[in-house]
Amino acid sequence: MSPKRFLSGINPSSSKGLHLGNYLGAVQQHVAFQAQGECYYFIADLHSLNSIFDPREVADNTFNTYLDFLALGLDPDKCVFYIESDIPAIPQIQTILNNCVTVSEMNRMHAYKDKLAKGADAEAINMGLFNYPVLMAADILAFRADAVPVGRDQQQHVEICREMAHTFNLRYGDVLKEPEVLIKADVAAVIGTDGERKMSKSLGNDITIFADEQTIRQQIFATVTDRNRVHPTDPGDPDKNVLFSYMKFLGYDETKRRDYEDRYRRGAVGDVEIKKEFFAHYLAYFADQRAKRAELAARPDDIRAMMQANAVKANAVADQTLADVRRAVGLD
Ligand code: ADP
Ligand code: TRP
């Protein structure tokens, strides 16, 4: 049996760089899958066009996100790591897949409904955003992925991708692979520094990984902890202090953490001390990756060559799928 094929895309929609939620909810598992099968990862620059209209920003975000992932452990010797727009078969497959999904199914998709819920005018939502599940399906099906690791917010999109593949295969024969979705349960949604909502760059409740130390320090010190606690001597509830959960996720010494939690309950430690401790741990945890990121950023030509070499590998696979799809629908 051929090895399992994993595929996932990263929308380079932020100039702030990756945050702890991205790392725990996505990057860590992408890195781990490299040892378990054949992996295809890409920067979804075509997707970013539905919200970023500044060409400089599109180019910079794409490049910087690629560097972030390399620094965090994606290794082109162990996976194929490419840029979506370098794969011309993807938009061609998307055009064909448009015919495998109904308008009413598309109307149920989150990405677009979330925008509406946030007050966007329905008339102003562009077709790129509305249609992005079809582009995402093309991303996945072009590579005949077996499994798609994503955060819970993307689950619905992978499910509709399965349905498109199913519809295509019913019509034209067994050409496309219906992928399974993989969600990492225990960190399905990392809570942000507001202590309430999912960590997200757009909510400003994130802790970034590659920003300068001062920025990271500010983000950590802005964390909202147990609101009922006014003085360090007030008893607190560790479950209401999100820093303890970050410590758990990032392998902070368990005995020390339990001791802090115990003192927190008794009102024998201040929030500032815990924040300082976590800040130091955070920088130590990401020290190697931050150094590697700086080293990679100094070699842009090598990075561009790496992108090209990976696009060649990816195109070999996607072009084969496109040929099969074209033949199946009658375009040959
Ligand atoms: P953001 O919500 O900050 O805009 P993205 O939507 O770009 O982040 O997410 C990129 C990846 O990181 C996705 O796989 C997503 O599910 C994951 N992710 C983002 N935020 C979190 C979080 N708070 N907890 C777990 N995973 C997350
Ligand atoms: N839509 C995903 C996100 O916003 C990114 C993405 C694009 C993706 N194409 C994909 C993820 C294909 C998995 C598979 O995070």
Side-chain angles (χ1 to χ4, degrees), residues 32-282:
F33 286 131
Q34 293 181 122
Q36 293 172 36
E38 207 188 340
C39 293
Y40 287 82
Y41 296 129
F42 64 96
I43 305 295
D45 58 345
L46 291 176
H47 284 259
S48 77
L49 298 181
N50 71 37
S51 57
I52 306 180
F53 306 129
D54 174 349
R56 194 66 261 152
E57 201 180 331
V58 171
D60 288 350
N61 286 4
T62 300
F63 191 79
N64 288 330
T65 309
Y66 195 84
L67 288 189
D68 286 359
F69 274 81
L70 288 177
L72 290 174
L74 287 199
D75 178 351
D77 288 333
K78 298 186 188 146
C79 69
V80 184
F81 186 31
Y82 52 97
I83 308 294
E84 183 188 33
S85 65
D86 284 339
I87 315 300
I90 291 174
Q92 293 188 61
I93 292 174
Q94 180 192 11
T95 298
I96 295 170
L97 285 175
N98 278 333
N99 308 300
C100 296
V101 61
T102 65
V103 171
S104 78
E105 284 165 326
M106 290 297 291
N107 270 326
R108 292 202 307 265
M109 291 298 110
H110 287 316
Y112 141 80
K113 285 197 350 198
D114 285 356
K115 274 268 161 120
L116 283 185
K118 282 182 191 150
D121 178 1
E123 303 290 315
I125 285 180
N126 65 45
M127 274 306 294
L129 177 66
F130 182 75
N131 208 31
Y132 116 78
V134 188
L135 178 56
M136 181 159 163
D139 292 329
I140 298 169
L141 300 176
F143 289 85
R144 297 190 157 109
D146 296 304
V148 183
V150 285
R152 180 137 352 257
D153 54 337
Q154 295 295 321
Q155 181 169 3
Q156 193 191 38
H157 297 139
V158 182
E159 279 160 8
I160 198 156
C161 165
R162 282 176 69 90
E163 284 169 31
M164 283 182 233
H166 189 71
T167 301
F168 186 98
N169 288 344
L170 278 180
R171 259 182 221 164
Y172 302 111
D174 201 12
V175 176
L176 297 174
K177 169 95 202 168
E178 290 176 40
E180 63 173 295
V181 59
L182 289 180
I183 311 273
K184 193 174 173 187
D186 61 336
V187 284
V190 176
I191 300 298
T193 55
D194 56 359
E196 278 175 6
R197 295 169 299 175
K198 183 187 148 218
M199 184 178 286
S200 172
K201 58 189 172 252
S202 53
L203 295 173
N205 62 355
D206 55 331
I207 305 176
T208 44
I209 297 174
F210 296 110
D212 57 87
E213 290 190 13
Q214 191 51 28
T215 304
I216 293 176
R217 187 173 201 284
Q218 276 162 5
Q219 290 169 333
I220 290 175
F221 275 71
T223 303
V224 177
T225 56
D226 185 348
R227 290 172 199 274
N228 298 325
R229 201 166 180 251
V230 184
H231 305 291
T233 48
D234 293 343
D237 178 355
D239 290 341
K240 293 197 175 125
N241 185 339
V242 72
L243 291 171
F244 289 121
S245 67
Y246 300 158
M247 284 177 166
K248 271 187 228 168
F249 287 139
L250 295 183
Y252 182 82
D253 184 89
E254 194 166 328
T255 313
K256 275 164 73 184
R257 192 195 80 238
R258 284 186 195 285
D259 180 53
Y260 269 126
E261 287 182 353
D262 193 45
R263 284 162 61 199
Y264 200 73
R265 273 187 212 95
R266 288 188 281 116
V269 62
D271 279 294
V272 172
E273 185 180 336
I274 296 169
K275 286 175 178 174
K276 273 191 191 149
E277 181 70 11
F278 178 66
F279 173 59
H281 180 70
Y282 191 86

